[in-house]
Amino acid sequence: MNVLHRVMAHAQRDGWPAVTRKIIHKAAGKALERLSVNEPDLPVRTEDLQASANNAPHRQPHPVSGAMNVGWVCTPPGPGSGGHTTFFRMVQGMEERGHRCALFLYDRNSDDVSRHAAVIRKHWPLMEAEIRSVAEGFHGMDAIVASSWPTAYAAAAHGSRHLHSFYFIQDYEPYFYPRGTLYALAENSYRLGFTNIALGGMIGAVMKSELGMEPAASVPFACDTRTYRLLEGPEGAPTRHGVVYYAKRAVDRRGYLLAKLALEQFHAMHPDQEIHIYGDSITGWSIPVNNHGNLPPGDLNRLYNSTVAGLALSFTNISLVPEELLAAGNVPVLNESAFAAQVLKDPEVIWAPATPSGLAGALARAVEANDIQDRASRIAARRRLDWRVSTDAFAEVLESACSGNTILPGSP
C-alpha cells in the first residue's frame, strides 16, 4: 500500500483531523531532532546534582536562638500558585515572630531574579522577605528551608556546614513522574539529610510506605478562613447555581483530562447548570463553559458562594481547593483516595470513583439536593483550622531544631 492509500485508509478510519494532527506531529518531531532541542531536560542544574552529593547537610550545626536569618529556597512562582502561597505563609509566620527572612529563587535557566521579584511583590504583597538568587549563596543565613526536590539539591549544593537545613514537603513529589530518572531523583531528595517537615498526614504515610522513613515533624493542613467564608448580604445568601472547576492542564496529577470528560457527562445530565472554570482558560471543549482565568482570592470566594459544588481532583496530596470550597459553603467532589481521605474528613465531601461517570454522577447528586441553601450554611458553619495554627507549628519546629532541641516525629 503506497503512502496515499495509507493516508486515505487512516482518514476513513479516524477522520481527517486525526490525520492532520499525525502529520503535524511527525513533521514537528523531525524538525526538533534536527535542532536537538527535544533532548530530555532536568529541572535542576547538573552541577548542583553533583555538588549536593558532597555537600548534603549530614551535620550538626551550632545551636542558634533568638531572632534568626532564615533563607527560603523556591522556584520562581506564577500568579495563583498554591504551593508557593502555602510556602510564603510559612515565611510570613516567621517574619511575624521577629525572624529575618530572605527568598532565594532557583531558576535553572537564569540567575536574574528581577522579573520574578516583580511577580512576587504584586501577588504576595504582605511578605517582606528580601529576594535573591540561589547563585548568590546563603551568606549570613542561620537556616535554610527547601520547598521542592530541585530546590533541595540546590540548597544542599550551595549550603555550608554551619547552616540548619530544612525541607518543607507539601507533596510526595516522586509521584509527579513515571518510574525513572526524575522519580528517583525526587525520591532521593528526602534522603539528603535535611530536617523534613511535612504538610498534612498524607506525606508521612506515603514516605513510611515507600521509603521506610518518616518526616521529622508535620504541620496540619489548614484554610484561609478570613478570605473563604459564607457571604450574606442584606437579603441573605446569594442563590447558588452551577458548578466550579479549577483547571490545570499541564499538571496531570490534578486530573484535567478526567475532569473534562466528567464535566461533559455532567452537562449532558444537567444542561441547565452553568460550568465555571478558573485557573487556566480553556478552549475546544464540546460544552459551554464560563472561563474566569486566574482569580484573586476575594473574587474566587464569591464564585464559590454562587455555585453549588466544586470539582477538586488530585492524585497526590490534597490541594487547597476542597477546604476553601467548604469554608464558602460549597460541596467538594473529589476522586476517591485513601491518602487524601486521611487529611480531609468533612462529612459533606463527596468522594467518587475516578471515572467520568462516577464524578459526573457525584456532581449531579450535589446539584439535585433539595436543601442546597441550608446545606451551604451548615457546611460553612463548621469550625476550620486557620493557617495561623500551621504557621505557628512550623515556626516552633524551626526554632526548636535550631536551638538544639530534639524534634519528635509528628510534632508539634
Side-chain angles (χ1 to χ4, degrees):
M1 183 183 290
N2 61 32
V3 174
L4 179 59
H5 287 161
R6 287 200 300 271
V7 170
M8 294 299 296
H10 189 180
Q12 288 177 349
R13 185 180 71 247
D14 300 325
W16 281 107
V19 173
T20 303
R21 285 195 298 270
K22 188 171 183 179
I23 292 172
I24 291 172
H25 287 164
K26 279 193 172 184
K30 289 180 179 179
L32 289 173
E33 286 176 8
R34 288 194 295 271
L35 293 170
S36 299
V37 297
N38 63 336
E39 186 72 15
D41 210 349
L42 289 169
V44 59
R45 296 178 182 180
T46 53
E47 59 266 30
D48 291 336
L49 279 177
Q50 294 163 357
S52 66
N54 301 320
N55 200 32
H58 295 286
R59 60 240 184 198
Q60 286 292 330
H62 295 297
V64 180
S65 58
M68 296 184 293
N69 295 308
V70 184
W72 305 76
V73 191
C74 66
T75 55
S81 170
H84 285 89
T85 297
T86 302
F87 191 59
F88 294 162
R89 283 190 176 111
M90 304 302 140
V91 178
Q92 286 178 241
M94 289 291 284
E95 288 178 335
E96 290 169 3
R97 294 166 78 101
H99 301 289
R100 296 173 292 274
C101 296
L103 286 185
F104 289 86
L105 300 185
Y106 184 64
D107 182 345
R108 71 171 310 279
N109 298 310
S110 174
D111 294 327
D112 180 8
V113 302
S114 56
R115 62 189 177 92
H116 304 307
V119 172
I120 293 169
R121 297 303 184 208
K122 178 179 179 181
H123 294 280
W124 291 274
L126 299 180
M127 186 175 56
E128 299 177 355
E130 181 184 356
I131 300 173
R132 308 181 195 173
S133 168
V134 167
E136 297 179 39
F138 303 119
H139 308 295
M141 296 295 109
D142 299 305
I144 52 173
V145 185
S147 59
S148 63
W149 76 261
T151 66
Y153 283 103
H158 293 268
S160 61
R161 295 188 176 276
H162 75 277
L163 283 173
H164 293 265
S165 301
F166 301 88
Y167 185 177
F168 184 40
I169 304 171
Q170 298 190 51
D171 211 332
Y172 190 73
E173 294 186 14
Y175 283 171
F176 294 5
Y177 312 101
R179 294 271 182 170
T181 302
L182 298 183
Y183 185 105
L185 290 173
E187 188 177 66
N188 187 61
S189 69
Y190 305 133
R191 304 188 183 100
L192 288 175
F194 292 87
T195 299
N196 293 327
I197 306 173
L199 176 64
M202 176 263 191
I203 303 296
V206 175
M207 288 180 68
K208 186 173 183 179
S209 173
E210 295 283 358
L211 306 176
M213 61 184 290
E214 294 182 87
S218 63
V219 299
F221 224 100
C223 180
D224 181 359
T225 56
R226 286 170 290 185
T227 298
Y228 299 98
R229 64 192 191 280
L230 197 67
L231 297 178
E232 290 190 295
E235 300 178 359
T239 301
R240 293 174 180 265
H241 187 266
V243 300
V244 60
Y245 166 60
Y246 177 44
K248 294 290 287 183
R249 286 178 295 185
V251 183
D252 192 44
R253 67 183 181 276
R254 299 304 188 210
Y256 171 78
L257 291 176
L258 179 58
K260 177 182 178 183
L261 294 171
L263 289 168
E264 287 173 346
Q265 288 198 22
F266 170 74
H267 177 73
M269 300 164 72
H270 282 282
D272 59 310
Q273 296 284 336
E274 190 170 11
I275 295 172
H276 299 267
I277 296 183
Y278 71 99
D280 291 342
S281 292
I282 60 92
T283 58
W285 283 25
S286 62
I287 59 174
V289 299
N290 189 347
N291 270 306
H292 295 271
N294 275 318
L295 290 175
D299 291 345
L300 185 55
N301 183 57
R302 282 186 281 276
L303 179 59
Y304 288 164
N305 270 265
S306 68
T307 48
V308 178
L311 188 58
L313 305 184
S314 181
F315 290 87
T316 53
N317 203 7
I318 202 162
S319 73
L320 302 178
V321 173
E323 283 283 5
E324 294 170 354
L325 288 166
L326 288 164
N330 196 300
V331 179
V333 173
L334 278 67
N335 54 293
E336 292 175 345
S337 167
F339 287 127
Q342 296 178 27
V343 179
L344 187 61
K345 299 181 179 180
D346 193 290
E348 301 291 348
V349 172
I350 301 179
W351 299 94
T355 64
S357 59
L359 295 166
L363 287 168
R365 291 195 298 276
V367 301
E368 290 165 1
N370 295 322
D371 62 340
I372 287 174
Q373 295 298 120
D374 291 341
R375 181 182 58 186
S377 299
R378 184 174 68 246
I379 295 172
R382 289 197 182 92
R383 182 180 178 275
R384 308 202 176 278
L385 204 64
D386 187 77
W387 280 112
R388 167 64 71 177
V389 176
S390 301
T391 58
D392 284 348
F394 188 91
E396 287 165 13
V397 171
L398 260 65
E399 291 166 350
S400 179
C402 290
S403 66
N405 294 329
T406 301
I407 302 174
L408 297 177
S411 67

